[in-house]
Each structure stands twice: as C-alpha cells, then as structure tokens.
Amino acid sequence: MSIDQHYQQELDPQAVIEKVQAAYPNGADLYQLAPLDQLHIGGIKASERLLCHLDPKRHTHVLDIGSGAGGLMRQAASLGVQLIGLDITHDLNRLNQGLNRCYTGEVNNPVLTGDAHHLPLADASIDLILFQHSFLNMPDDLQVLQECRRVLKPGGQLVMHEVVEGESPEAMQFPVPWAAHSSQSHLLTDTALRARLQQAGVNDITLEDWSQEAIDWRRRQLAKETSHTRVKAPLSPAMILGKRFAAMGKNLVHNLESGAIRVIEVTARTPG
C-alpha cells in the first residue's frame, strides 16, 4: 500500500467537513480544529513551539512539506505567515481546503498535490521549509533533502519536528499514525539524519530532544481517548484514520516509553 493510500483509505473529505460544520455551525477556531488537523505527536502546542522559528518579515515564502489536514498552515496564518502546502495525498489536500472554509480566521494558503522527492518549485525560491511528522514517510530521504537544498534560497532554513528511531527499535509496534506496517515507516536515527543533512549540503545543524514532552502529551491524549466518563471532543484523528486510530494511539505510547522512537526538533541552514 502506498503512503497516499494509507492516509486516504478511510477518509471521506466531504463527510468530515460536514461533521465539522455540524459541530461548529458558526465556524471553528484553531483549538477546536486541533484534534482533527494537528496529526502529530504534541498537538497544537508542539506546532506553536515549531512556529517560533518563523519571522513574518523575513520568511515570505515558506513551504510545509507533508501539510496534511492543514493545521500547521492555519496556525501559521494566524501569526501572519501564509505557508505553501505540499502533500502527496490529494484527499488530505481536499480536506485541508475544506477546513479553511470552516475556520473562523483568515487564511489564503496555496496547497499542492505533489511528491517531496521532486518538488514542483523553482531553484532558490523558498525562505524556509517545515517538516512535521512527514519526513518519516520519505523512502529516499537524501533525494528529499537535496530537493530542499535546491529550492531553498542561500541562507534559507530547514526546520523539522520529526520522529526518529530510538535506542530500542526492536520494540517498535505497528500500526502507528504514519504507517500500518514497517515498510511504510522510514525512521532514521538522529545521527543518521544529521549525516544526511550534511550530505545534502546544509549546515548549522542543531537537534533538540522533545521526547519527554511527547510522552507526557501522548499519555494525556490516551487517557482522554479511553475514558468512559469524559465528554468526547466532537473532532478526532479517527475521522481521518478510522477505527485503526485506537490501536495507533496505544502503540505510540508503547513506542515512546520503550525507546523504540524519539521525537526531536532539527534546525539547519543552507550556505550563503
């Protein structure tokens, strides 16, 4: 199964949009949409932290690779930065655009259906590139990073909030949100990721571990998802990932706690 099939096999964009409109007939804000459109470990607070790297005055052309349902894009727009979204899954792009119409804020983000291995952008045209739990779906990681290097301007930035292989990869359990099985998951160690970045021609590389915050967040989310007394939120990742999400959520906790995976932030810069 291809990556786009993994994400859209249980997704009906129009049905999801209708459920959002029914739950929030007067429109939904960022926090109300977050259980649906922030499909990554750490949720909207992790995105807030990631977006601290954006400067509306300097970063006028920013690319979000693997933009998914568009939560990061709408959150950036609220800060005055309009992102260009790129995702290989066309139905996620349809959902992203539909959620823009459900959102109470102003947003005018272009969204492209495309493959990060062959970015449909001109050389040296982008100020900053964001990855948020999308690089882990890229089978030829070096090709993707070389494409990033090509489209970034001199002195351009690369910022990643990503899952990497931990010290106990043998403990990994599937399914997880980004992969039904190991053939769809392309995790590197942080050491290997640093080496790939250097090989692709970027420098000033820094890595920061967010794993403990990720574990704490995922435990809280699992408690909400499995509680029989707590009022359920009207929106959920299960609206995209289907019944598989219950097992995915439990496996994320196991994989983080066992050291099968870690969550890191990476920043790097092109020469110039």
Side-chain angles (χ1 to χ4, degrees):
M1 181 188 297
S2 65
I3 286 300
D4 59 329
Q5 290 172 330
H6 166 73
Y7 286 111
Q8 64 189 14
Q9 63 174 306
E10 298 191 48
L11 172 60
D12 181 340
Q14 186 56 40
V16 173
I17 291 164
E18 289 172 1
K19 289 178 181 178
V20 175
Q21 292 171 332
Y24 300 105
N26 297 318
D29 63 27
L30 291 174
Y31 281 87
Q32 290 166 330
L33 289 173
L36 173 65
D37 69 2
Q38 298 275 353
L39 291 180
H40 51 264
I41 301 169
I44 194 168
K45 289 297 184 181
S47 294
E48 185 178 286
R49 187 173 170 184
L50 189 70
L51 291 173
C52 287
H53 293 282
L54 268 62
D55 180 345
K57 294 180 180 179
R58 293 189 300 117
H59 301 133
T60 57
H61 296 85
V62 180
L63 175 64
D64 179 8
I65 294 183
S67 48
L72 189 67
M73 298 181 72
R74 282 179 285 277
Q75 198 170 349
S78 74
L79 302 174
V81 182
Q82 300 289 340
L83 305 187
I84 303 164
L86 181 132
D87 203 287
I88 199 170
T89 304
H90 185 62
D91 278 353
L92 280 177
N93 290 335
R94 289 177 57 208
L95 177 61
N96 183 353
Q97 293 172 314
L99 291 177
N100 283 343
R101 297 191 293 273
C102 301
Y103 172 48
T104 54
E106 293 291 330
V107 61
N108 185 28
N109 293 324
V111 182
L112 309 172
T113 298
D115 186 343
H117 296 81
H118 306 283
L119 292 174
L121 298 165
D123 294 359
S125 60
I126 298 296
D127 299 304
L128 186 147
I129 292 176
L130 293 166
F131 285 89
Q132 189 171 42
H133 288 36
S134 53
F135 193 68
L136 41 65
N137 279 141
M138 312 292 181
D140 191 341
D141 45 69
L142 180 57
Q143 169 71 16
V144 170
L145 292 176
Q146 288 172 333
E147 277 291 275
C148 291
R149 172 71 178 84
R150 178 182 66 79
V151 304
L152 280 170
K153 297 176 182 178
Q157 291 179 262
L158 181 65
V159 181
M160 311 174 84
H161 171 216
E162 282 295 331
V163 180
V164 294
E165 185 178 286
E167 66 276 10
S168 302
E170 71 283 354
M172 186 76 175
Q173 291 185 358
F174 291 93
V176 288
W178 65 88
H181 43 74
S182 59
S183 65
Q184 296 172 324
S185 181
H186 303 283
L187 302 183
L188 297 173
T189 64
D190 58 356
T191 301
L193 178 53
R194 181 186 288 274
R196 292 287 200 285
L197 288 163
Q198 292 171 334
Q199 190 176 355
V202 296
N203 51 29
D204 294 336
I205 301 165
T206 64
L207 286 79
E208 183 177 348
D209 195 292
W210 290 12
S211 297
Q212 188 55 55
E213 295 95 328
I215 292 171
D216 294 341
W217 177 85
R218 190 54 230 167
R219 285 172 179 160
R220 292 194 299 270
Q221 295 303 113
L222 184 61
K224 294 177 186 178
E225 293 156 7
T226 57
S227 172
H228 297 293
T229 58
R230 189 182 182 98
V231 176
K232 301 293 185 183
L235 306 183
S236 163
M239 296 168 70
I240 294 175
L241 297 168
K243 295 179 180 179
R244 304 171 296 165
F245 181 68
M248 291 172 173
K250 292 178 181 177
N251 287 340
L252 275 182
V253 172
H254 165 82
N255 293 336
L256 284 162
E257 292 181 336
S258 67
I261 61 174
R262 293 167 53 221
V263 178
I264 63 172
E265 182 196 76
V266 181
T267 61
R269 189 181 300 275
T270 58

